[in-house]
Each structure stands twice: as C-alpha cells, then as structure tokens.
Amino acid sequence: MNNRTYISPLIFIILLGYVLLVGGTVPYFLFYTMLLIYLIPFIHCLICYLFLKGTVEIPEGNLHAGDTITIMYKINNKSILPITYLEIENDFSKKLTGKTSPKVILSIEKKGYYNGSETIILKRRGFYEVGEISVTIKDAFGFFSLKKKISTPTSLLVYPEVIDISTFKTSTTQQTGELSIKDPSFQDKSRINSLREYQEGDSIKSIHWKQTAKKNTPIVKEYENSYDTQLVIFLDNEYRLFKNDIDTRIEDKIVDVTASIINYCLNQKIEVTLETQNYDSTIKIKGMQKSDFKPFLEVLARFRGNGKSNFSTFISSKIDIIKRSSTVVLVTPNLDKKIGSLGIKLRMKNLYPVFIVVTDYENNNGYMDVIIEKKLKSEGIPVYWLDCKTNVKEILEAHYG
C-alpha cells in the first residue's frame, strides 16, 4: 500500500494537535492548507460520485446454453468535473461462466461517457440476475476512494441445449418387438399420416402393398398418433440427492435428457406432462404441440435440486390420477430398492414405467443398484443409465433387450 496513505493522515493529526495545544499563525496556516489539500479532492470525488450514472443492456429473445452473447453497458459522467481515475468491475462472466472478468481502469472527461461490453459463451442453462456494475472513483492523489453500485433491473433466462433424437423406446410390454414411441401402441391405424420408402426396422404390417407394386419398391404407411397417447415425466430433485452435486453436473444432465425427450414427443404430437418440485410446491406443465415447448424449457432452465418431498412419496400420491396405459418416465440420480419398487407398482396399475438414472461416476455421486436394474428389465421395464459424460443421443436412441 502507498506510504502516503498513512503519512498524510499522521501529519494532519500532528498539526491538529499542535494547533489545539500551542496555536500560532504558522501552525494554523499549515493546518488550513492541509485541510484544503484533503477537502478539495474529497469534494471532487463526491460530486463525481453523485453525478455518475449507468445502464446495462442484455440481448433479447430466447437464449440457449452454448449461445454466445454480448452484454453492453454505459457509464455516464454527468458532472462538470472530470473523473481522473475510474475502476469498473462487473460480475457478468462470473455469474454465467464462473470466470472473473478483468477490471477496466480509465478516466472520463466532464460530461463524458464510456461504452463497455463483454462477450460471453453461455456454459449452462439457468436464471441469472446480471444487471449490476461496481465502479470505484478515486482522486488524483489517491487519498479517497468511493465505491458505487450501478444497476439496471434485468435478468437472463438461459434455456437448456436441446438434443434432437430420432426415437425413444418405451416398454417391451406395450407391444412385442416394437419398442419405440413410434410403435403401433401409440398410433391410430384408421388415420394414415404419410407414405414413405421402407427403412430397416419397419414393421412388415405397415407396408402399403398397392403402392409397393406400383413403384416397384417397398412403401410403408406412417400413421398419426392416437389422441389418447400420453407420456408423464417425473423429475427427481429431492434435496438430499443433490447436496454434493459438484458443478451441478447431475442437475444439468437430467435437464438435457428431459428436454430431449419432451422435444421428441412434441414433434410426434404426443401429449407430455412434466411434474417436479420447487422446494415444497409442485410444478406441473402439459403440452402436445411443438408450440407448447417454451413453458417446458422455462421450467427446465430454472430446475434445481431443492425438492423437499421424498421422490417415492411424491410419485405415489399421483399414481391413481394418471391415465391408464400412459408411459411414465422417472428421471432420478438414485435407483435403489424403494424407487425400483415404484416401477412394479406402476406396472400393476396398468401404466408403462421407464427409468432414466443419471450418475456422476467421476465424483462418486448418484446411485444405481444393478440388481434392481436387472429385476426391472426382467419385468419388461426399460432402464437407461447415463453418466454425466455420456452422450444423451446415443443412450436414448439405444435399444435394450
């Protein structure tokens, strides 16, 4: 630290003591001179502080994880005095990426301004309050330092990145040999949606024989989804399971998986219901068209491991109101005996459960009981197991035997 930080106040105190105890023209002259030396810079700083204004502007429109954005800010010196030393700090990057931005140091002339900006790659989804800048004003001698917060009420809602998947298997008990959501158990055979060329894996029953003979190549019928098709997703965010979630890795992977499934279902015009917790309240979103996707994204952007209720209790209270023959997807970081028993209970209620278990192997977080996994699969209940580094598309499009 600069020695004058200590020396100048010390001299001032000595002079003050001498004036009070001894007096005299010269001591008073020196005392008043030093008082002005301090008073003038302080008044200068104070005037600049009072007349310093600013604004923050963030991009408009929908933002997704992985997008690059530029946040703009403006600092206005509306006083008639120049600012000789101004230090600007913002927490934009720290809040959005975890990295601290470098300080900006400059001077601004009277009635002048400074336009600043920061370009940031949005690393993860979430809701962020980012409209605040911290500025520090110092006088030319460094005697005084005044700090001011400049804020504009603004925030960013960053949606999760959506991974497109081409299929998603539900339950072997819905129809033998046909495991994806596109299978006949979700289709209305009375309404043909379109015709296309045969692809490997298509059912022979869907071949349009007249068109096949006419075009001399296999043509298959694609049916519209039945209006009673329904998929219910339960997200496990029980607090105790997430308290050791390093860098929210499990939290974010659960969101990625869920967003991909919802996107796929809405593209297929399959009715989707999403249920989870926010502390002690229940969140429930429903949609069937691609235009219904935004409310789901907003919920997933704000998703946190903060649920107060036990996941098993949370689901058990809702089983009896789920429409029969619905597919029920349970996304959880914990597959133990108690959670696994929910699958059997759901199946006994004429529902089709699917388990998606997300763990963080590197940090030894999350739990998968392989005995329970085998038991569920033996009962025709699919289990998807994803690590935080697993490719979502590859796992969700996979077929389990």
Side-chain angles (χ1 to χ4, degrees):
M1 186 175 286
N2 198 318
N3 287 335
R4 65 187 175 188
T5 304
Y6 300 108
I7 293 173
S8 298
L10 182 60
I11 294 173
F12 182 81
I13 292 170
I14 293 171
L15 279 173
L16 177 61
Y18 192 86
V19 166
L20 294 175
L21 295 174
V22 179
T25 304
V26 175
Y28 268 105
F29 174 78
L30 293 175
F31 175 72
Y32 289 148
T33 300
M34 195 159 192
L35 189 62
L36 286 174
I37 290 173
Y38 276 95
L39 189 59
I40 292 173
F42 177 74
I43 293 173
H44 187 161
C45 279
L46 185 60
I47 291 172
C48 292
Y49 174 89
L50 294 173
F51 286 90
L52 191 68
K53 307 295 180 183
T55 56
V56 179
E57 294 182 11
I58 64 171
E60 296 181 355
N62 296 335
L63 299 173
H64 292 78
D67 288 351
T68 299
I69 65 168
T70 299
I71 299 177
M72 313 284 293
Y73 61 91
K74 185 175 184 178
I75 306 296
N76 284 298
N77 176 21
K78 296 190 174 184
S79 75
I80 59 173
L81 299 174
I83 300 175
T84 56
Y85 182 97
L86 182 68
E87 194 175 276
I88 304 172
E89 296 179 85
N90 74 70
D91 61 356
F92 306 151
S93 183
K94 185 164 181 135
K95 283 188 175 180
L96 296 171
T97 69
K99 296 181 180 179
T100 302
S101 303
K103 295 178 182 179
V104 177
I105 300 174
L106 69 154
S107 59
I108 303 180
E109 61 186 14
K110 61 180 181 179
K111 298 294 184 181
Y113 63 89
Y114 171 75
N115 284 323
S117 65
E118 183 152 6
T119 299
I120 299 170
I121 298 175
L122 301 173
K123 292 183 65 175
R124 63 182 300 268
R125 51 90 206 179
F127 178 75
Y128 306 94
E129 299 282 356
V130 293
E132 185 173 89
I133 296 173
S134 177
V135 295
T136 302
I137 302 169
K138 294 183 181 180
D139 64 276
F141 303 106
F143 292 151
F144 301 101
S145 176
L146 299 177
K147 184 169 279 191
K148 185 174 187 177
K149 298 285 187 181
I150 294 176
S151 61
T152 301
T154 187
S155 59
L156 281 175
L157 183 62
V158 182
Y159 296 148
E161 183 180 3
V162 180
I163 302 166
D164 287 322
I165 57 176
S166 60
T167 187
F168 173 57
K169 184 188 70 170
T170 56
S171 176
T172 55
T173 55
Q174 285 179 273
Q175 175 155 336
T176 303
E178 299 288 343
L179 303 177
S180 72
I181 279 181
K182 285 185 175 180
D183 67 21
S185 61
F186 285 99
Q187 295 171 346
D188 185 343
K189 294 298 183 62
S190 66
R191 299 196 299 270
I192 298 175
N193 186 39
S194 62
L195 300 175
R196 59 170 174 81
E197 291 189 6
Y198 177 86
Q199 297 176 1
E200 185 178 352
D202 287 335
S203 172
I204 295 178
K205 295 179 181 179
S206 65
I207 293 178
H208 194 297
W209 296 108
K210 289 185 179 180
Q211 289 295 321
T212 296
K214 185 182 295 185
K215 295 184 178 292
N216 201 29
T217 186
I219 301 295
V220 296
K221 297 172 279 189
E222 284 196 329
Y223 300 100
E224 293 183 8
N225 289 314
S226 172
Y227 287 117
D228 59 359
T229 301
Q230 188 176 55
L231 184 138
V232 181
I233 302 175
F234 289 104
L235 295 190
D236 185 357
N237 68 336
E238 186 182 342
Y239 170 74
R240 66 179 180 86
L241 302 176
F242 291 85
K243 59 184 179 180
N244 296 319
D245 186 13
I246 297 175
D247 295 329
T248 64
R249 288 164 56 134
I250 291 180
E251 203 177 89
D252 289 343
K253 183 61 76 170
I254 284 176
V255 168
D256 289 345
V257 172
T258 306
S260 300
I261 294 172
I262 293 172
N263 181 58
Y264 172 78
C265 291
L266 295 181
N267 283 335
Q268 300 296 320
K269 296 183 179 179
I270 296 170
E271 183 179 322
V272 184
T273 302
L274 172 67
E275 291 199 49
T276 187
Q277 302 178 79
N278 182 33
Y279 295 105
D280 56 356
S281 63
T282 298
I283 295 175
K284 184 175 182 178
I285 303 292
K286 184 179 289 188
M288 188 172 179
Q289 306 293 331
K290 184 66 177 178
S291 58
D292 299 329
F293 198 23
K294 188 174 180 179
F296 288 102
L297 288 176
E298 290 180 353
V299 168
L300 293 174
R302 299 172 185 266
F303 177 78
R304 294 287 182 272
N306 60 11
K308 290 190 175 182
S309 294
N310 175 273
F311 190 50
S312 179
T313 303
F314 179 71
I315 295 176
S316 296
S317 64
K318 302 173 185 298
I319 290 178
D320 291 334
I321 61 174
I322 300 175
K323 187 176 181 180
R324 295 296 172 260
S325 299
S326 295
T327 295
V328 180
V329 180
L330 294 82
V331 188
T332 177
N334 174 56
L335 181 59
D336 57 14
K337 187 175 180 179
K338 188 173 184 180
I339 298 298
S341 65
L342 276 176
I344 307 301
K345 185 176 182 180
L346 289 165
R347 195 66 201 93
M348 292 175 64
K349 293 285 187 176
N350 198 28
L351 298 168
Y352 299 102
V354 177
F355 285 86
I356 298 178
V357 185
V358 178
T359 60
D360 183 359
Y361 177 79
E362 184 177 335
N363 294 298
N364 194 30
N365 201 4
Y367 177 73
M368 163 73 101
D369 188 322
V370 293
I371 296 177
I372 300 300
E373 178 191 15
K374 290 179 181 178
K375 174 64 176 175
L376 290 171
K377 286 183 178 180
S378 70
E379 296 291 334
I381 300 173
V383 179
Y384 293 82
W385 187 0
L386 292 91
D387 184 71
C388 287
K389 294 184 177 180
T390 302
N391 185 296
V392 171
K393 183 177 177 67
E394 289 180 1
I395 295 297
L396 291 187
E397 291 182 345
H399 289 263
Y400 287 77

